[in-house]
Amino acid sequence: MAYESIIVEIEDHVAIITLNRPDALNALNSQLLQELSKALGEADANDKVRCIIITGSAKAFAAGADIKEMSDKSFVDMYMSDYFEPAMRTISNVRKPVIAAVAGYALGGGCELAMMCDFIIAGENAKFGQPEINLGVIAGMGGTQRLTRYVGKAKAMDMHLTGRFMDAEEAERSGLVSRVVPPKKVLEEARQAAEKISEKSLLASIAAKQAVNRSYETTQEEGLLFERRLFHSLFATEDQKEGMSAFLEKRSPQFRDR
Ligand code: CO8
C-alpha cells in the first residue's frame, strides 16, 4: 500500500517508519494513525522484520494530535467514533520490539505514541510534554497513565497540570528515555540498537517484551510467575539449545526463531 503520511523502509531486518507530515510537525491525524497501525501490522507479520523503529523529523517526532482535525468535533463525534482507539490498540499490541527515535518535539499524542513504544532513544534537542491542558483538554492517548508509571506522580502531575516540557536530559534522568545522543545520531543509534535486537532469538525478544509489559498490569507475585513460566517455556525452543551451546563452544549463536 502507498502511504501518504508515513514512509516505510525495510533495511536488513529493521522496519523504519518515519512520520511524514512536515508542514504540521507530524501532528497525528486519523489518516496518519490508520497508516501507522497498518504499517506496524505489516511489519509485525513480515518474517524478514525483527525490530521496528518509529521516528519523525529533526524538528518533531510529533507535536501531538492534529488540533485542526479535532477542534470542531463534538462529544458525540468523539464518543461514537472512539476516536483513535482502534489505531492505538494496534500500535500498542505489536509483538516485535518497537523503538521510538525521538528528535525535537514529542508533545501530547506524540509523547504518548513514543511511550507506546518499548523504549525511547532521544536526541539532545528532544522535548517531551503533555500540553493538552493549554487547549482546555487533557491527554487522551495514555499520557495520564503511562507517563505516571514511567516518571512517577510528581513529574507527571507537573507536566499535565502546567503543560511544561521536559528536555532530554531530564527525561533520561526521570526514566522516560533510555539513551540521549546528539540529534543527528538519533536514528543511527536506534538502528544500531535494532540491529543488536535483530541478532537475538525473536522468541526470546517477544517473551522479554511480554514479561516487562506484564509488570505494569499485575501484582509482583503474578508477574514473577508469568516470567518464570515464559522462562520455562523457552526451554522448548531450539534457540535456547543453540544459545547455550554457542556460549559453551565459545562461538556466536545462530538463532532461527524455533
Ligand atoms: N496539530 C495541528 N497542527 C500543528 C500541531 C498540532 N498538534 N502542532 C503544530 N502544528 C502546525 C502549526 O499549526 C503550524 O502550521 P501552519 O504553518 O500551517 O500555521 C506548523 O505545525 C508549525 O508549527 P508552529 O508554527 O507552531 O511551530 P513553532 O516552532 O513555532 O512551535 C510547537 C512548535 C511548540 C510544537 C507548537 O507548534 C505547538 O505548541 N504545537 C501544539 C502542541 C500541542 O498542543 N500538542 C497537543 C495536541 S492535543 C493532543 O495531542 C491530544 C492527544 C490525545 C488524542 C486522544 C484521542 C482519543
Side-chain angles (χ1 to χ4, degrees):
M1 167 178 171
Y3 295 116
E4 288 175 14
S5 307
I6 59 171
I7 298 165
V8 181
E9 296 156 290
I10 297 180
E11 292 178 8
D12 299 322
H13 295 294
V14 181
I16 301 172
I17 302 177
T18 305
L19 310 182
N20 187 35
R21 296 189 68 216
D23 294 343
L25 300 183
N26 293 333
L28 309 171
N29 62 9
S30 302
Q31 181 180 354
L32 186 149
L33 281 176
Q34 273 164 21
E35 291 185 5
L36 179 61
S37 76
K38 187 159 195 314
L40 283 167
E42 285 170 356
D44 216 17
N46 183 341
D47 288 342
K48 197 181 158 218
V49 173
R50 304 173 70 78
C51 190
I52 300 163
I53 297 171
I54 302 178
T55 194
S57 69
K59 183 170 179 190
F61 177 73
D66 191 316
I67 299 166
K68 281 183 200 131
E69 182 180 273
M70 279 186 304
S71 62
D72 288 334
K73 289 199 187 295
S74 66
F75 165 78
V76 173
D77 296 333
M78 286 295 195
Y79 185 75
M80 293 308 280
S81 67
D82 213 357
Y83 197 57
F84 287 0
E85 165 61 17
M88 286 188 287
R89 193 174 293 281
T90 316
I91 294 164
S92 43
N93 281 345
V94 174
R95 301 186 84 214
K96 290 174 182 168
V98 185
I99 303 171
V102 174
Y105 296 109
L107 304 177
C111 184
E112 293 167 305
L113 173 61
M115 290 191 291
M116 285 179 213
C117 300
D118 296 317
F119 63 97
I120 302 172
I121 294 179
E124 285 157 352
N125 69 339
K127 296 233 179 310
F128 299 87
Q130 300 286 168
E132 291 91 339
I133 198 84
N134 299 328
L135 303 169
V137 292
I138 65 167
M141 290 172 65
T144 63
Q145 304 304 299
R146 290 196 176 93
L147 189 66
T148 310
R149 283 169 162 86
Y150 300 165
V151 306
K153 178 183 166 186
K155 281 191 185 287
M157 279 290 190
D158 184 356
M159 290 172 73
H160 282 290
L161 293 176
T162 67
R164 81 168 173 91
F165 299 163
M166 186 185 260
D167 66 18
E169 193 271 320
E170 184 183 4
E172 187 182 30
R173 185 161 29 95
S174 309
L176 181 59
V177 313
S178 69
R179 313 179 192 184
V180 177
V181 296
K184 284 195 176 137
K185 297 217 166 130
V186 174
L187 186 54
E188 188 47 35
E189 186 80 10
R191 202 183 274 126
Q192 281 176 18
E195 278 163 15
K196 178 78 58 195
I197 291 167
S198 300
E199 292 166 8
K200 320 293 181 201
S201 165
L202 189 55
L203 292 163
S205 300
I206 290 173
K209 173 170 170 165
Q210 286 178 339
V212 172
N213 283 336
R214 186 56 70 101
S215 72
Y216 287 102
E217 307 294 341
T218 191
T219 62
Q220 179 161 295
E221 199 52 42
E222 288 303 315
L224 289 170
L225 178 61
F226 184 73
E227 176 195 82
R228 219 156 51 241
R229 287 292 173 264
L230 282 179
F231 181 80
H232 296 158
S233 70
L234 289 170
F235 283 73
T237 68
E238 290 175 20
D239 283 350
Q240 173 269 326
K241 299 287 174 288
E242 168 62 10
M244 294 195 179
S245 304
F247 176 81
L248 295 172
E249 292 161 16
K250 301 191 187 305
R251 61 176 175 81
S252 301
Q254 300 297 316
F255 293 121
R256 297 171 60 230
D257 304 336
R258 282 162 205 237

